[in-house]
Amino acid sequence: MMIQRKSGMYDGRSKSSAYKDLVWTVATSSDTSVGIEQQTKLTLETIQTNLVELNSDKTRIVSAQVYIANMADKQRMDSVWRNWLGANPEHWPQRACLGVNLEGDVLIEVTVTAVRK
């Protein structure tokens, strides 16, 4: 079985890749002029779109890493995250959240591993 890759907007890296029953994807906000809640929402929408493109979805995420520019924003990001995932604990992945320096006005970057349908 071949590795499947989906090109993103940057040279030298893919936005998503898949091998056998696993999918990996990464995203940032499509609009960096907005605050942490909206950037989180837009980032997670892109994650879902990327997963669907490779025959998965947010309910099949097994691991997630969230990188935020300001740990003081973690509670507000978590609120959006919880709403996005929903109330069913069967759909909650293992997750780590790290405070990091991000480029420009990017406030959040998310990378996930999910299982294909």
Side-chain angles (χ1 to χ4, degrees):
M1 178 174 268
M2 299 290 295
I3 297 171
Q4 189 176 4
R5 301 179 199 278
K6 296 292 182 178
S7 296
M9 57 193 298
Y10 301 105
D11 289 340
R13 54 192 168 190
S14 299
K15 68 178 181 179
S16 305
S17 57
Y19 181 71
K20 295 186 179 178
D21 62 346
L22 293 177
V23 176
W24 297 266
T25 192
V26 62
T28 58
S29 178
S30 56
D31 181 355
T32 59
S33 70
V34 295
I36 188 64
E37 290 97 345
Q38 188 64 14
Q39 282 201 32
T40 301
K41 182 178 181 292
L42 292 168
T43 299
L44 295 176
E45 286 172 2
T46 300
I47 291 286
Q48 173 69 351
T49 299
N50 293 351
L51 290 172
V52 168
E53 188 175 36
L54 288 169
N55 200 28
S56 189
D57 65 55
K58 66 184 179 182
T59 68
R60 301 179 67 79
I61 297 171
V62 293
S63 180
Q65 294 75 44
V66 176
Y67 306 95
I68 58 176
N70 185 348
M71 287 301 281
D73 289 338
K74 186 175 183 293
Q75 281 189 326
R76 293 185 291 150
M77 177 278 298
D78 273 336
S79 178
V80 176
W81 173 270
R82 286 190 306 272
N83 285 336
W84 180 69
L85 281 178
N88 185 347
E90 293 296 315
H91 298 161
W92 298 348
Q94 167 276 325
R95 192 194 87 182
C97 181
L98 297 91
V100 299
N101 290 325
L102 294 169
E103 185 177 21
D105 294 324
V106 174
L107 300 178
I108 184 169
E109 184 166 356
V110 177
T111 181
V112 303
T113 304
V115 177
R116 289 208 226 204
K117 294 180 183 174

